[in-house]
Structures are given as C-alpha cells and as structure tokens.
Amino acid sequence: MRWRGDRQSTNVEDRSGSSGRSVGKMATGGGLGAIVIAIIVFLISGGDLGSVTNTLGGGITPASYETENVQSTEYQEQKEFAAVVFAHLEDYWNEEFSEMNESYQNPNLVLFTDSVNSACGQATSQVGPFYCPGDENVYLDLSFADELSQKYGATGDYAMAYVIAHEVGHHVQNELGITSQLNKIRQQVSETEYNKYSVRLELQADYLAGCFSKYLAGETHDGQPILEAGDIEEAITAANAIGDDTLQKEYQGYVVPDSFTHGTSQQRINWFNRGYKYGDLEHGDTFKEKDLDLAS
Ligand SMILES: [Zn+2]
C-alpha cells in the first residue's frame, strides 16, 4: 500500500506507554501478587468482554508478549501506517454516509500494549484487536502485526489494513443500528443460536473491509494507485488465517461448527471479495443471505 506522507487521523490515542511493556519485568518485580491479580482480572473481564465486543477472531491463541522499545522506529512506522489507514477509513465512511443522507461519527483508534481498559471491560492483547460499541473505540495492539505474520503467515502491510478496516466495519454496524439489534437478540436466544448471528455480524465486517478496499483501489497517492500489487492477496491471506475452522484445526485439532463466531476461512474470504467487488451496502446483508458460502 502506498501511504507515506498521507493524512494521518487525529482520532488516534496512544496508550501504549501506560502499561508495563515486559512480562518478565512484571513477574520479577510484581512477584506472585501481580500474577494473582492478573488471573483475577482475567476471570472478571474474560467472560464478559467476549459478550459485548466485536473482535477479529483469533482470540483463542495464546498471547505472545515481547519486550521491545515502544519508541522504536518500527513502532512509529506502524503507528503512522495505522493512522493513515484510519484517515482513509474516515474519508470513505463519511462519504458513504453522507450519500445516504445519514450522519456519521468517526470512531477513535486506541493503541495499547499488553492490556487496556475499555467501556467493555479490561482486555489483554490476547483477545486480538477489537471494537467496543460502548465507547466507540477500536482497540489495537500494534504487535498484532507481528502475530499476523509470524503465527498466521499473513505478511504485508495490507493484512493489517484489512484488520483495521474490519474493526471499523463493526463501528459502521454500530452506527447503522445493527449492533443494538443483535444485542437484543442475544438476550433471547441460546449461545449456540446466537453464534449464528455472530458469524453473520463478523462476515459483514469482512464485507465492509472489502468495500473499503474497493474504494482505496480507486484512490491515488502522488499520482499512483494507493493499492499495490499483492495488497488484496495480503488481506485474503489474513482472512483465511483467522477463519474459525482454520484456527480450531490448528489449536484444538478438530472443528466444532456450532461454536463458530466469525465464520470459516472460505466464508471470510468470500465476503471480503464480495465487498471488494460491489463496494456498496446493498450486497452486504449477511443476515438475509441463506448460503453464507456464496456458493451459488
Ligand atoms: Zn470482528
């Protein structure tokens, strides 16, 4: 993706310096007390967080804590990249909503390391990037880029752009009132039944990331297309890697379709591609579509 020097969103809040960066430091400095507190925090927030936030998928993987300097050039670059992607997303969704004569409130991007407090509770990097409808923030630990490339083989800057676009897709769903409708349904149905709605919500966020990608494909940076060869493939590789079936096969060796919350790898790819093809809201009603595989 061509992005250097482009406008960076001002709706970015960097909280990455506020928490301890190194787990090793915490274990030696905080001792057992810190570990006990960490477990309690996990027990309190762990169950609830999943029920109110919209994650990306991949939450069942163990976190990879790394000790790196938050001020490193690499970090600054990742941050600038995220801020540029976020700015493009602002441009795109403001334009789309104004065409529908609807108002649109920009979300914020909160960068953090290791753990963060949100209106949806405390979260660790383990849950992956997520959107909290309660405060309309997208939460992102930039080290997720390393996880994407090292653990999931999803390399390239556009893999991360897809991730951010997916989370902003959840904000768009919130703005459209879809999220609140689903929260009502959630209170009326069983967990297994709700999982089916969750899959549709997630696939729609993938669709919206595809729509954004179509928009970017038509935009230029210094007279050249913003999207470079291979960018869309990078997004598709990421979508493939974080499909429920792929993750379950990898981490538990078998697949439980009833427990799917984000859709299979193929479904995620298909809905991203569909968004990239149509770039409109009409073709993105995952709640209407009977066949989520889009086979027909
Ligand atoms: Zn999601």
Side-chain angles (χ1 to χ4, degrees), residues 199-211:
V199 165
R200 286 167 191 269
L201 190 74
E202 294 299 332
L203 292 177
Q204 190 172 59
D206 285 334
Y207 176 86
L208 298 173
C211 292

PDB file of all heavy atoms in Angstrom, residues 199-211:
ATOM      1  N   VAL A 199     -21.634 -14.914  13.587  1.00  0.00           N
ATOM      2  CA  VAL A 199     -20.932 -15.197  12.330  1.00  0.00           C
ATOM      3  C   VAL A 199     -21.365 -14.201  11.254  1.00  0.00           C
ATOM      4  O   VAL A 199     -20.536 -13.640  10.530  1.00  0.00           O
ATOM      5  CB  VAL A 199     -21.206 -16.653  11.870  1.00  0.00           C
ATOM      6  CG1 VAL A 199     -20.797 -16.853  10.419  1.00  0.00           C
ATOM      7  CG2 VAL A 199     -20.481 -17.645  12.778  1.00  0.00           C
ATOM      8  N   ARG A 200     -22.667 -13.931  11.199  1.00  0.00           N
ATOM      9  CA  ARG A 200     -23.167 -13.005  10.179  1.00  0.00           C
ATOM     10  C   ARG A 200     -22.669 -11.579  10.414  1.00  0.00           C
ATOM     11  O   ARG A 200     -22.347 -10.842   9.480  1.00  0.00           O
ATOM     12  CB  ARG A 200     -24.701 -13.043  10.135  1.00  0.00           C
ATOM     13  CG  ARG A 200     -25.193 -14.322   9.481  1.00  0.00           C
ATOM     14  CD  ARG A 200     -26.653 -14.624   9.657  1.00  0.00           C
ATOM     15  NE  ARG A 200     -26.932 -15.983   9.224  1.00  0.00           N
ATOM     16  CZ  ARG A 200     -27.299 -16.324   7.985  1.00  0.00           C
ATOM     17  NH1 ARG A 200     -27.461 -15.388   7.069  1.00  0.00           N
ATOM     18  NH2 ARG A 200     -27.494 -17.582   7.656  1.00  0.00           N
ATOM     19  N   LEU A 201     -22.588 -11.203  11.683  1.00  0.00           N
ATOM     20  CA  LEU A 201     -22.069  -9.879  12.030  1.00  0.00           C
ATOM     21  C   LEU A 201     -20.596  -9.756  11.606  1.00  0.00           C
ATOM     22  O   LEU A 201     -20.179  -8.752  11.035  1.00  0.00           O
ATOM     23  CB  LEU A 201     -22.203  -9.651  13.537  1.00  0.00           C
ATOM     24  CG  LEU A 201     -21.941  -8.243  14.063  1.00  0.00           C
ATOM     25  CD1 LEU A 201     -23.115  -7.316  13.716  1.00  0.00           C
ATOM     26  CD2 LEU A 201     -21.727  -8.241  15.576  1.00  0.00           C
ATOM     27  N   GLU A 202     -19.837 -10.804  11.885  1.00  0.00           N
ATOM     28  CA  GLU A 202     -18.405 -10.790  11.560  1.00  0.00           C
ATOM     29  C   GLU A 202     -18.170 -10.812  10.048  1.00  0.00           C
ATOM     30  O   GLU A 202     -17.300 -10.107   9.538  1.00  0.00           O
ATOM     31  CB  GLU A 202     -17.706 -11.971  12.227  1.00  0.00           C
ATOM     32  CG  GLU A 202     -17.684 -11.900  13.746  1.00  0.00           C
ATOM     33  CD  GLU A 202     -16.955 -10.673  14.263  1.00  0.00           C
ATOM     34  OE1 GLU A 202     -16.054 -10.170  13.578  1.00  0.00           O
ATOM     35  OE2 GLU A 202     -17.310 -10.198  15.347  1.00  0.00           O
ATOM     36  N   LEU A 203     -18.950 -11.647   9.350  1.00  0.00           N
ATOM     37  CA  LEU A 203     -18.772 -11.706   7.892  1.00  0.00           C
ATOM     38  C   LEU A 203     -19.157 -10.380   7.249  1.00  0.00           C
ATOM     39  O   LEU A 203     -18.562  -9.962   6.256  1.00  0.00           O
ATOM     40  CB  LEU A 203     -19.595 -12.856   7.293  1.00  0.00           C
ATOM     41  CG  LEU A 203     -19.120 -14.263   7.674  1.00  0.00           C
ATOM     42  CD1 LEU A 203     -20.051 -15.322   7.083  1.00  0.00           C
ATOM     43  CD2 LEU A 203     -17.682 -14.520   7.201  1.00  0.00           C
ATOM     44  N   GLN A 204     -20.127  -9.695   7.853  1.00  0.00           N
ATOM     45  CA  GLN A 204     -20.485  -8.384   7.328  1.00  0.00           C
ATOM     46  C   GLN A 204     -19.339  -7.383   7.532  1.00  0.00           C
ATOM     47  O   GLN A 204     -19.074  -6.551   6.662  1.00  0.00           O
ATOM     48  CB  GLN A 204     -21.760  -7.872   7.999  1.00  0.00           C
ATOM     49  CG  GLN A 204     -22.318  -6.639   7.327  1.00  0.00           C
ATOM     50  CD  GLN A 204     -23.679  -6.278   7.883  1.00  0.00           C
ATOM     51  OE1 GLN A 204     -23.826  -6.043   9.083  1.00  0.00           O
ATOM     52  NE2 GLN A 204     -24.686  -6.264   7.034  1.00  0.00           N
ATOM     53  N   ALA A 205     -18.641  -7.491   8.667  1.00  0.00           N
ATOM     54  CA  ALA A 205     -17.482  -6.611   8.890  1.00  0.00           C
ATOM     55  C   ALA A 205     -16.391  -6.900   7.852  1.00  0.00           C
ATOM     56  O   ALA A 205     -15.704  -5.985   7.382  1.00  0.00           O
ATOM     57  CB  ALA A 205     -16.945  -6.792  10.304  1.00  0.00           C
ATOM     58  N   ASP A 206     -16.246  -8.177   7.480  1.00  0.00           N
ATOM     59  CA  ASP A 206     -15.300  -8.518   6.408  1.00  0.00           C
ATOM     60  C   ASP A 206     -15.761  -7.929   5.074  1.00  0.00           C
ATOM     61  O   ASP A 206     -14.953  -7.428   4.288  1.00  0.00           O
ATOM     62  CB  ASP A 206     -15.167 -10.043   6.283  1.00  0.00           C
ATOM     63  CG  ASP A 206     -14.332 -10.644   7.404  1.00  0.00           C
ATOM     64  OD1 ASP A 206     -13.476  -9.920   7.963  1.00  0.00           O
ATOM     65  OD2 ASP A 206     -14.524 -11.831   7.727  1.00  0.00           O
ATOM     66  N   TYR A 207     -17.060  -8.011   4.835  1.00  0.00           N
ATOM     67  CA  TYR A 207     -17.627  -7.424   3.617  1.00  0.00           C
ATOM     68  C   TYR A 207     -17.317  -5.920   3.564  1.00  0.00           C
ATOM     69  O   TYR A 207     -16.893  -5.394   2.531  1.00  0.00           O
ATOM     70  CB  TYR A 207     -19.145  -7.650   3.573  1.00  0.00           C
ATOM     71  CG  TYR A 207     -19.825  -6.992   2.400  1.00  0.00           C
ATOM     72  CD1 TYR A 207     -19.918  -7.642   1.163  1.00  0.00           C
ATOM     73  CD2 TYR A 207     -20.354  -5.701   2.506  1.00  0.00           C
ATOM     74  CE1 TYR A 207     -20.527  -7.022   0.078  1.00  0.00           C
ATOM     75  CE2 TYR A 207     -20.955  -5.085   1.423  1.00  0.00           C
ATOM     76  CZ  TYR A 207     -21.046  -5.740   0.216  1.00  0.00           C
ATOM     77  OH  TYR A 207     -21.629  -5.115  -0.864  1.00  0.00           O
ATOM     78  N   LEU A 208     -17.522  -5.236   4.689  1.00  0.00           N
ATOM     79  CA  LEU A 208     -17.291  -3.789   4.738  1.00  0.00           C
ATOM     80  C   LEU A 208     -15.816  -3.453   4.541  1.00  0.00           C
ATOM     81  O   LEU A 208     -15.469  -2.430   3.935  1.00  0.00           O
ATOM     82  CB  LEU A 208     -17.814  -3.218   6.062  1.00  0.00           C
ATOM     83  CG  LEU A 208     -19.333  -3.380   6.286  1.00  0.00           C
ATOM     84  CD1 LEU A 208     -19.729  -2.935   7.685  1.00  0.00           C
ATOM     85  CD2 LEU A 208     -20.133  -2.616   5.230  1.00  0.00           C
ATOM     86  N   ALA A 209     -14.934  -4.345   5.033  1.00  0.00           N
ATOM     87  CA  ALA A 209     -13.495  -4.159   4.780  1.00  0.00           C
ATOM     88  C   ALA A 209     -13.206  -4.294   3.282  1.00  0.00           C
ATOM     89  O   ALA A 209     -12.338  -3.601   2.737  1.00  0.00           O
ATOM     90  CB  ALA A 209     -12.681  -5.171   5.580  1.00  0.00           C
ATOM     91  N   GLY A 210     -13.950  -5.184   2.631  1.00  0.00           N
ATOM     92  CA  GLY A 210     -13.815  -5.340   1.173  1.00  0.00           C
ATOM     93  C   GLY A 210     -14.288  -4.095   0.437  1.00  0.00           C
ATOM     94  O   GLY A 210     -13.648  -3.636  -0.520  1.00  0.00           O
ATOM     95  N   CYS A 211     -15.402  -3.520   0.888  1.00  0.00           N
ATOM     96  CA  CYS A 211     -15.931  -2.277   0.282  1.00  0.00           C
ATOM     97  C   CYS A 211     -14.887  -1.164   0.375  1.00  0.00           C
ATOM     98  O   CYS A 211     -14.646  -0.432  -0.589  1.00  0.00           O
ATOM     99  CB  CYS A 211     -17.193  -1.815   1.001  1.00  0.00           C
ATOM    100  SG  CYS A 211     -18.610  -2.885   0.779  1.00  0.00           S
TER     101      CYS A 211
END
